Amino acid sequence: MKSRLAWAVAGAYVFFMSGMSAAPAQTPTPTHTPMNQAAPQLTPQQLDQLLAPIALYPDALLAQILMAATYPLEVVEGVRWLQDPHNASLKGDQLATALEQQNWDPSVKSIVPYPRILRMMDRELDWTERLGEGFLADQAAVMDSIQRLRRRAAAAGHLSSGPQAVVTMQEEAITIESPSVGAVSFPTCNPSVVYGSWPYPAYPPDYFPGNFEGATAGGFGCGWIVAPIIAPLWGWGQWDWRRHRIDIDRGRFLLLNRNRPPVNGDTWEHDPAHRHNVPYRNPQAQERFGGRAASPDVQRSPRGFPVGPAGQIRPASGPLSAPIEEHRPAIGGPAARPPPTFESFGPGLEVRSQAARGNASRMSMPTFAPGGFAPRSAPGGFAPQFRAPGGGGMHR
């Protein structure tokens, strides 16, 4: 009897242990979309969600951001370039001259004078990628989303002209311009406040307040950052809201693009050469741009920025040097974020050493002389009255 009982206990123990050893195999797989899997077409609700943080930016700056978002690797390169104290110290014409020598798209060069925006695009690289791909897939839908959000802010009583911006209500579009030729102000707004009651509870607006600490209170019920306008880098692309396109100054574009002409004459069109093998996840973008060969002088694998067949990249690591903007960080800390869509090849230590070698190689080069649903965000923000209510959405 005791023998049979002992065998029964032993059998139960073996069965239990075998179940325990098999448990790890039952762990659910991640739910995020892999890089090699096509991303679905964005709906109007998803576009409003993505564009909420920037829809109230001045038109010229907004155009530069959307164009630059289609070149995520060069955005990361721009952030790393600014980590060089010499580059970060350049201002005005000296900065413009140095940037003209870089092999980046003119749109990327044109946002380098706004390192807080560049840093946001680097930190929120998944958001940047989705924004750029949405713009490539359906430029008209993105422009309609901007206007939809601006009309919502106006209806909520938070969009009118003031010291920071000139707002013009036209029949076909609401435009936002800088009132100064020497400086531009851009807002950091709590979307749950500035847009009124958010209509899409399943798609709470994105919100990245951790990138804009120290903003000063101003119009729209938002905080504002002030930065200088560098004439050669500013305003070469103009929105044509009626035709759903961006018109460009061809001569100025040529100067910024090292005398390489734009893809489509006087109308902006994405240049696949500046993607550097980063894949297009949107089917429409892949069909339209994925088969184009890069220009020999543009396609490269820069030291410190490993790019392979999949074009995988990661945000720049390490702090930026002192930002060029007038206001310095005063409140809060860096926003937490989920793992980015792009990841570098190899383990983290190897990637950091590659980046260090890339920075060293660049240092050796000659320098150039002269009330609704809570938004998706990280906790905290510009000021207590602008902080998002807790809960809801994906936190950044």
Side-chain angles (χ1 to χ4, degrees), residues 91-109:
K91 297 181 180 180
D93 290 341
Q94 288 184 334
L95 177 59
T97 300
L99 288 171
E100 285 177 3
Q101 310 307 314
Q102 299 303 312
N103 217 9
W104 307 329
D105 185 81
S107 61
V108 177
K109 296 178 184 181

Side-chain angles (χ1 to χ4, degrees), residues 39-280:
Q41 180 79 8
L42 296 175
T43 65
Q45 294 86 349
Q46 291 172 318
L47 287 173
D48 287 5
Q49 178 184 59
L50 278 174
L51 287 155
I54 59 174
L56 304 185
Y57 279 20
D59 286 11
L61 183 58
L62 179 58
Q64 291 169 184
I65 292 171
L66 284 168
M67 291 184 285
T70 68
Y71 309 113
L73 177 59
E74 293 189 345
V75 168
V76 174
E77 290 184 7
V79 172
R80 292 182 177 178
W81 187 81
L82 280 177
Q83 288 174 349
D84 180 338
H86 170 75
N87 296 333
S89 69
L90 298 175
K91 297 181 180 180
D93 290 341
Q94 288 184 334
L95 177 59
T97 300
L99 288 171
E100 285 177 3
Q101 310 307 314
Q102 299 303 312
N103 217 9
W104 307 329
D105 185 81
S107 61
V108 177
K109 296 178 184 181
S110 296
I111 59 172
V112 171
Y114 313 104
R116 296 197 195 202
I117 293 174
L118 196 66
R119 179 176 56 196
M120 175 188 72
M121 297 176 72
D122 172 65
R123 286 179 173 176
E124 312 298 339
L125 200 53
D126 183 66
W127 172 83
T128 300
E129 180 215 8
R130 295 182 68 221
L131 183 70
E133 297 246 345
F135 192 52
L136 292 179
D138 195 338
Q139 190 167 304
V142 168
M143 294 176 69
D144 288 343
S145 174
I146 294 168
Q147 291 300 321
R148 190 162 51 243
L149 288 166
R150 289 181 174 183
R151 288 193 297 270
R152 186 170 296 281
H158 294 135
L159 189 62
S160 58
S161 295
Q164 294 87 12
V166 176
V167 179
T168 304
M169 306 284 184
Q170 302 174 346
E171 182 178 354
E172 59 195 34
I174 298 175
T175 63
I176 302 175
E177 306 290 343
S178 172
S180 169
V181 296
V184 60
S185 300
F186 55 92
T188 171
C189 309
N190 183 334
S192 293
V193 175
V194 73
Y195 297 119
S197 180
W198 190 257
Y200 320 123
Y203 300 97
D206 288 329
Y207 183 39
F208 311 127
N211 297 286
F212 301 105
E213 303 92 340
T216 57
F220 303 178
C222 302
W224 289 81
I225 302 292
V226 181
I229 288 176
I230 300 178
L233 304 172
W234 179 262
W236 51 266
Q238 300 291 330
W239 292 104
D240 185 337
W241 296 104
R242 184 170 63 86
R243 296 182 178 88
H244 290 105
R245 69 188 191 191
I246 299 176
D247 295 328
I248 60 176
D249 185 319
R250 184 180 177 88
R252 295 178 63 194
F253 185 95
L254 278 170
L255 290 175
L256 286 173
N257 206 35
R258 304 182 71 179
N259 291 319
R260 289 193 300 270
V263 175
N264 190 23
D266 296 332
T267 302
W268 179 81
E269 185 173 320
H270 174 71
D271 184 354
H274 288 283
R275 286 285 288 197
H276 309 300
N277 294 325
V278 175
Y280 299 94

Side-chain angles (χ1 to χ4, degrees), residues 218-371:
F220 303 178
C222 302
W224 289 81
I225 302 292
V226 181
I229 288 176
I230 300 178
L233 304 172
W234 179 262
W236 51 266
Q238 300 291 330
W239 292 104
D240 185 337
W241 296 104
R242 184 170 63 86
R243 296 182 178 88
H244 290 105
R245 69 188 191 191
I246 299 176
D247 295 328
I248 60 176
D249 185 319
R250 184 180 177 88
R252 295 178 63 194
F253 185 95
L254 278 170
L255 290 175
L256 286 173
N257 206 35
R258 304 182 71 179
N259 291 319
R260 289 193 300 270
V263 175
N264 190 23
D266 296 332
T267 302
W268 179 81
E269 185 173 320
H270 174 71
D271 184 354
H274 288 283
R275 286 285 288 197
H276 309 300
N277 294 325
V278 175
Y280 299 94
R281 297 177 62 203
N282 185 282
Q284 288 82 0
Q286 170 62 33
E287 180 179 357
R288 186 175 179 186
F289 302 108
R292 298 192 189 180
S295 302
D297 58 336
V298 176
Q299 189 175 17
R300 69 197 189 285
S301 179
R303 286 175 291 176
F305 309 104
V307 182
Q312 296 169 313
I313 60 177
R314 62 169 295 163
S317 60
L320 282 176
S321 298
I324 296 174
E325 289 97 350
E326 174 183 329
H327 300 289
R328 296 292 187 265
I331 301 174
R337 59 182 175 85
T341 299
F342 301 114
E343 293 292 346
S344 291
F345 290 108
L349 183 60
E350 178 184 352
V351 170
R352 291 190 186 96
S353 66
Q354 289 171 328
R357 289 196 299 272
N359 286 331
S361 69
R362 284 191 301 280
M363 291 287 285
S364 65
M365 295 173 62
T367 56
F368 301 98

